[in-house]
């Protein structure tokens, strides 16, 4: 059942690490232009699911299709094209430790081999400005950065090619509230300029409330709730109740007022 | 008269004549990195050519998708300022505002005129740093050893035995293979030479002295330096990259005591044994060829061996092995602890560690040869 409407399609996906079952029969469709937020307890398999969507790990069972094509059996050129359309922010940043901040962001641009150095320089400085990194940090090495800076530079690198599909693993973890807000604004403006599809894992309720079009809740190896924030909050699963209707949840949801 | 310059249908760049006779440049479609693809260069030259006309009216309202790459392309064509006549969609306004705020890249610092001197100076300082670092490490390990003698309960037995297994037991296969082959080759070449002089019997002297005194220890040391030395350096280096070393420090577990000392002790114990093993296997290899080539029986070979090779040679070899083992571990740990937390430094550190360890092993061998030139030789 290939669905034309899905930019990412996950079908009957099972994940196992040895005897440890992480996912059982996950079905998910990410629609073009939406922000899908994955929530779930620590260790519920958000990162694992994203890694499978990216083809970094083979699912034990089931299939993942991106842009309507299965992840395996592409020819090289198609796969590269598909990769260039995706940007990924890893949970731990995954900056290249041997390259400076500037080169980290310039690397994907240089790999295209169509842009000249001058254009790349302007683009890199623009991306750095976008994530609020001062130009004096451009020549630093990743080991010389603070944790939050690593996160922001990794975000800049993920957006280096202005991808249409962004995978963000905990984008605001480790950022102070002001920077988190800046991140939310950044994504919001980017969405007005481009059709951007985002799959994001986060524990940050404020970000979730501000950005999510749909929320998928992972618990007990399944997606226990999937839908708009309002629909998800309405379901009766204990994890949902805990996550959204706890003290923190009330506060974050209260800010938006109209959600509940 | 519209002229379409876009080969790709999603990018439109077209000059149209207005009713009042002025020109209007219409840009439409998606100006995104993905859509631009190979056309970046040609499009950029076209845009620059158009931008030379200051009276040209730029109409960007047809652009549906505009990303940073597209915006930067236009911005650069305009010479980093907005053209006088420009209409664009309100949502794209922000992109160009951002461009105005974007800082320019810091200029790369030019190389000074004195660079040969700077490079030389840096090399000297590096050598000095290595010497002091090694000295400090040795001092630290000696202090740790003294501490352990008075607190035997704190001796890291588990680490020592793990290292013994990794550096000793697991090295037996490769050292045996290399030792056997060298023994075979040496015996074959020597026996051919000796046969021409009718001095067959001296094959035992040649093999005995050269393998037990020299080749066995050297082969073992070089193999272990490459094998265990690199793994020790890489292990410490990865621990630096992943901040495990810092985690140990904050738990109050000193690196020298828990990581360096066990490695030095383990290699100090394992190396003489590996030397013994390598020499034995090499002798077996030599013996087999001697039997085939010269018809010397195994029993005769083994009976004659103690008579022609004084036992002092064996002690010398074992001593050399112990010293080389400890030095290899020390050098590997020194380089491992110096690694900075990036992958390039990890690779470089490991290479330097192995190269230094092998060089030092050979230097140690030379020193032994000179100092003990009167020992074990008739
Ligand atoms: N390579 C692996 N080998 C074995 N088990 C793994 C591996 N990767 C993940 N797991 C297990 O899969 C489960 C899900 O891990 P995952 O990293 O996806 O969690 P998560 O939902 O992203 O959690 P967090 O919010 O803490 O990042 C965990 O129980 C983890 O132990
Ligand atoms: Mg995770």
């Amino acid at each position: 059942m290939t669905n034309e409407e899905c930019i990412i399609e996950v079908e009957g996906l099972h994940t196992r690490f040895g005897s440890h079952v992480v996912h059982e029969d996950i079905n998910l469709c990410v629609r073009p232009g939406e922000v899908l937020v994955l929530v779930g307890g620590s260790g519920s398999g958000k990162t694992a699911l994203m890694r499978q969507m990216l083809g970094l790990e083979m699912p034990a069972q089931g299939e993942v299709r991106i842009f309507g094509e299965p992840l395996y059996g592409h020819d090289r050129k198609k796969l590269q094209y598909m990769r260039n359309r995706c940007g990924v922010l890893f949970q731990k940043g995954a900056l290249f430790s041997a390259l400076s901040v500037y080169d980290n962001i310039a690397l994907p641009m240089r790999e295209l081999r169509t842009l000249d150095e001058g254009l790349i320089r302007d683009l890199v400085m623009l991306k750095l400005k976008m994530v609020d990194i001062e130009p004096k940090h451009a020549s630093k090495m990743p080991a010389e950065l603070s944790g939050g800076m690593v996160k922001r530079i990794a975000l800049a690198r993920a957006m280096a090619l202005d991808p249409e599909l962004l995978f963000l693993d905990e984008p605001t973890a480790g950022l102070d509230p002001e920077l988190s807000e800046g991140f939310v604004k950044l994504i919001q403006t980017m969405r007005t300029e481009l059709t951007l599809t985002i799959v994001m894992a986060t524990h940050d309720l404020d970000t979730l409330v501000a950005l999510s079009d749909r929320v998928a809740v992972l618990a007990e190896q399944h997606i226990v709730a999937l839908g708009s924030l309002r629909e998800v909050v309405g379901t009766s699963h204990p994890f949902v109740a805990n996550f959204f209707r706890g003290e923190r949840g009330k506060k974050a949801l209260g800010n938006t007022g109209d959600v509940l | 008269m519209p002229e379409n310059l876009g080969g790709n249908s999603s990018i439109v760049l077209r000059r149209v004549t207005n009713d009042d006779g002025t020109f209007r440049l219409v840009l439409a479609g998606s100006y995104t990195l993905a859509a631009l693809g190979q056309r970046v260069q040609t499009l950029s030259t076209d845009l620059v050519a158009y931008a030379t006309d200051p009276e040209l009216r730029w109409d960007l309202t047809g652009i549906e998708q505009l990303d940073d790459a597209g915006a930067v392309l236009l911005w650069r064509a305009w010479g980093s300022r907005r053209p006088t006549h420009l209409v664009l969609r309100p949502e794209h306004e922000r992109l160009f505002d951002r461009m105005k705020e974007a800082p320019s890249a810091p200029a790369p610092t030019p190389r000074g005129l004195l660079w040969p001197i700077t490079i030389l100076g840096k090399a000297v300082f590096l050598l000095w740093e290595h010497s002091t670092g090694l000295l400090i490490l040795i001092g630290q390990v000696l202090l740790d050893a003294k501490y352990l003698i008075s607190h035997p309960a704190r001796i890291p037995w588990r680490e020592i035995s793990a290292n013994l297994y990794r550096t000793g037991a697991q090295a037996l296969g490769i050292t045996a293979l290399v030792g056997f082959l060298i023994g075979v080759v040496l015996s074959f070449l020597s026996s051919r030479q000796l046969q021409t002089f009718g001095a067959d019997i001296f094959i035992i002297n040649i093999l005995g002295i050269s393998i037990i005194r020299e080749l066995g220890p050297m082969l073992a040391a070089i193999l272990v330096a490459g094998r265990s030395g690199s793994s020790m350096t890489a292990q410490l280096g990865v621990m630096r990259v992943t901040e495990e070393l810092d985690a140990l420090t904050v738990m109050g577990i000193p690196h020298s005591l828990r990581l360096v000392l066990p490695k030095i002790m383990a290699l100090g114990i394992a190396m003489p044994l590996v030397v013994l093993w390598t020499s034995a296997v090499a002798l077996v290899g030599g013996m087999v060829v001697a039997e085939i080539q010269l018809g010397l029986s195994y029993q005769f070979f083994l009976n004659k061996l103690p008579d022609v090779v004084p036992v002092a040679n064996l002690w010398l070899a074992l001593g050399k092995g112990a010293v080389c083992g400890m030095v290899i571990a020390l050098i590997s740990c020194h380089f491992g602890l110096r690694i900075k937390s990036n992958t390039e430094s990890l690779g470089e550190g490991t290479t330097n560690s192995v190269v230094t360890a092998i060089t030092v092993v050979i230097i140690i061998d030379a020193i032994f040869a000179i100092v003990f030139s009167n020992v074990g030789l008739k």
Side-chain angles (χ1 to χ4, degrees):
Chain A
M1 136 209 109
T2 311
N3 195 334
E4 286 297 314
E5 287 296 294
C6 297
I7 195 162
I8 306 176
E9 207 182 353
V10 178
E11 234 181 73
L13 177 125
H14 291 240
T15 311
R16 289 183 213 103
F17 292 109
S19 61
H20 177 43
V21 179
V22 180
H23 298 129
E24 253 175 12
D25 195 25
I26 300 268
N27 291 293
L28 190 64
C29 164
V30 182
R31 299 179 195 139
E34 76 170 349
V35 176
L36 179 78
V37 179
L38 295 171
V39 296
S42 185
S44 59
K46 302 180 293 294
T47 303
L49 184 58
M50 266 197 210
R51 287 177 64 84
Q52 285 169 341
M53 287 178 177
L54 287 164
L56 294 174
E57 261 159 46
M58 270 279 243
Q61 206 178 311
E63 201 182 8
V64 178
R65 275 190 291 271
I66 290 201
F67 302 116
E69 310 231 20
L71 274 168
Y72 298 93
H74 274 293
D75 63 273
R76 206 189 168 87
K77 226 171 146 187
K78 245 179 178 172
L79 197 67
Q80 187 56 47
Y81 178 65
M82 202 194 77
R83 290 263 180 238
N84 287 347
R85 291 162 76 187
C86 300
V88 187
L89 168 66
F90 287 94
Q91 192 165 2
K92 290 173 197 153
L95 292 181
F96 300 114
S97 58
L99 300 181
S100 68
V101 167
Y102 179 93
D103 290 326
N104 258 287
I105 303 174
L107 180 82
M109 302 177 188
R110 289 192 181 130
E111 280 302 299
L112 285 180
R113 292 171 201 287
T114 53
L115 306 180
D116 63 70
E117 248 345 274
L119 192 70
I120 289 177
R121 193 170 51 239
D122 284 359
L123 269 174
V124 171
M125 295 329 279
L126 197 63
K127 301 286 169 192
L128 283 179
K129 167 89 180 99
M130 214 166 72
V131 292
D132 264 325
I133 297 279
E134 288 169 46
K136 66 172 182 212
H137 300 307
S139 55
K140 284 195 175 162
M141 301 303 279
E144 303 165 71
L145 302 172
S146 77
M149 283 164 78
V150 168
K151 196 90 258 184
R152 282 181 283 153
I153 289 157
L155 182 66
R157 189 183 67 179
M159 304 216 221
L161 298 184
D162 292 300
E164 15 183 330
L165 180 55
L166 258 181
F167 292 87
L168 307 174
D169 200 349
E170 313 261 357
T172 52
L175 300 187
D176 66 41
E178 201 178 328
L179 286 173
S180 304
E181 225 160 85
F183 164 78
V184 168
K185 288 228 178 70
L186 173 66
I187 297 286
Q188 278 166 343
T189 34
M190 281 182 54
R191 290 186 70 197
T192 63
E193 290 152 11
L194 294 161
T195 24
L196 192 60
T197 312
I198 299 178
V199 179
M200 171 162 67
T202 188
H203 294 292
D204 181 7
L205 275 165
D206 295 318
T207 313
L208 185 148
V209 170
L211 287 180
S212 67
D213 292 321
R214 286 199 306 155
V215 180
V217 183
L218 273 170
E220 296 155 7
Q221 291 91 47
H222 292 95
I223 292 186
V224 294
L226 174 66
S228 70
L229 185 57
R230 183 196 293 265
E231 286 161 11
V232 166
V233 172
T235 55
S236 60
H237 193 274
F239 174 81
V240 177
N242 229 326
F243 191 80
F244 290 103
R245 290 186 227 126
E247 208 52 50
R248 277 174 335 123
K250 281 219 186 82
K251 228 157 120 205
L253 293 176
N255 288 342
T256 62
D258 61 326
V259 177
L260 272 178
Chain B
M1 174 207 63
E3 42 177 318
N4 194 348
L5 292 171
N8 189 328
S9 58
S10 65
I11 305 169
V12 180
L13 179 64
R14 202 171 39 189
R15 201 170 63 151
V16 294
T17 318
N18 287 338
D19 302 334
D20 57 1
T22 53
F23 290 116
R24 191 158 60 98
L25 191 67
V26 176
L27 283 76
S30 31
Y31 275 69
T32 60
L33 198 52
L36 290 170
Q38 297 294 332
R39 297 198 46 228
V40 173
Q41 299 300 343
T42 50
L43 197 66
S44 138
T45 32
D46 290 343
L47 285 173
V48 171
Y50 281 122
T52 49
D53 175 9
E55 287 310 309
L56 188 72
R57 285 158 202 284
W58 294 75
D59 180 2
L60 272 58
T61 47
I63 295 183
E64 285 141 24
Q65 303 261 320
L66 181 64
D67 67 4
D68 286 337
V72 168
L73 197 67
L74 286 165
W75 191 252
R76 285 174 65 84
W78 294 337
S80 302
R81 59 187 172 78
R82 293 168 76 112
T84 16
H85 311 287
L86 172 68
V87 272
L88 72 162
R89 292 190 186 187
E91 66 260 34
H92 295 153
E93 200 73 53
R94 254 201 58 92
L95 269 172
F96 294 107
D97 288 347
R98 215 159 49 203
M99 215 76 66
K100 248 183 279 175
E101 297 160 15
S104 52
T109 42
R111 195 151 76 158
L113 281 174
L114 293 174
W115 63 268
I117 297 174
T118 338
I119 288 176
L120 184 70
K122 275 187 185 150
V124 171
F125 275 117
L126 189 68
L127 193 67
W128 173 249
E129 234 180 88
H130 274 295
S131 327
T132 49
L134 208 55
L135 203 65
I136 291 170
L137 190 64
I138 294 172
Q140 188 62 51
V141 169
L142 286 179
L143 287 180
D144 286 336
K146 196 177 130 225
Y147 170 80
L148 287 183
I149 290 170
S150 51
H151 301 81
R154 312 219 53 168
I155 296 179
W157 291 116
R158 284 167 57 92
E159 282 83 356
I160 293 175
S161 95
N163 276 304
L164 260 179
Y165 176 70
R166 270 204 298 273
T167 58
Q170 290 189 337
L172 293 183
I174 183 71
T175 47
L177 178 71
V178 173
F180 186 81
L181 291 178
I182 293 285
V184 165
V185 171
L186 189 67
S187 178
F188 178 73
L189 293 177
S190 313
S191 57
R192 291 291 285 274
Q193 302 303 312
L194 291 173
Q195 258 176 332
T196 56
F197 296 111
D200 299 11
I201 194 85
F202 287 106
I203 188 76
I204 305 175
N205 301 45
I206 290 179
L207 288 183
I209 292 288
S210 62
I211 288 177
I212 293 175
R213 190 180 169 104
E214 194 60 39
L215 284 176
M218 274 305 95
L219 281 179
I222 289 171
L223 284 174
V224 166
R227 203 182 154 278
S228 308
S230 60
S231 91
M232 285 175 182
T233 308
Q235 187 204 356
L236 291 181
V238 171
M239 288 180 80
R240 165 77 71 209
V241 175
T242 54
E243 297 185 344
E244 287 168 59
L245 289 180
D246 302 336
L248 278 177
T249 306
V250 296
M251 287 176 200
I253 302 172
H255 305 159
S256 58
L257 197 144
R258 196 56 71 87
L259 296 171
V260 180
L261 189 81
K263 290 186 170 58
I264 294 178
M265 284 178 70
L267 258 192
I269 298 167
M271 263 299 281
L273 300 175
V274 174
V275 165
L276 206 61
W277 165 255
T278 313
S279 301
V281 177
L283 279 178
V284 169
M287 209 160 70
V288 169
V289 173
E291 213 261 354
I292 297 167
Q293 281 274 311
L294 307 172
L296 286 182
S297 77
Y298 297 147
Q299 197 168 13
F300 179 74
F301 193 105
L302 290 176
N303 280 337
K304 198 86 173 65
L305 194 61
D307 300 339
V308 298
V309 183
V311 75
N313 286 300
L314 188 62
W315 297 124
L316 194 61
L318 295 184
K320 229 190 302 196
V323 172
C324 285
M326 290 196 281
V327 169
I328 289 169
L330 195 68
I331 288 174
S332 309
C333 292
H334 166 71
F335 276 95
L337 291 173
R338 276 178 54 89
I339 285 173
K340 307 256 176 354
S341 51
N342 68 68
T343 45
E344 193 145 294
S345 160
L346 183 62
E348 196 188 306
T350 311
T351 311
N352 288 344
S353 153
V354 172
V355 171
T356 312
I358 291 180
T359 314
V360 170
V361 158
I362 291 172
I363 293 173
I364 289 175
D365 183 55
I367 294 173
F368 263 79
I370 295 166
V371 172
F372 296 99
S373 54
N374 300 327
V375 179
L377 294 173
K378 284 181 201 159

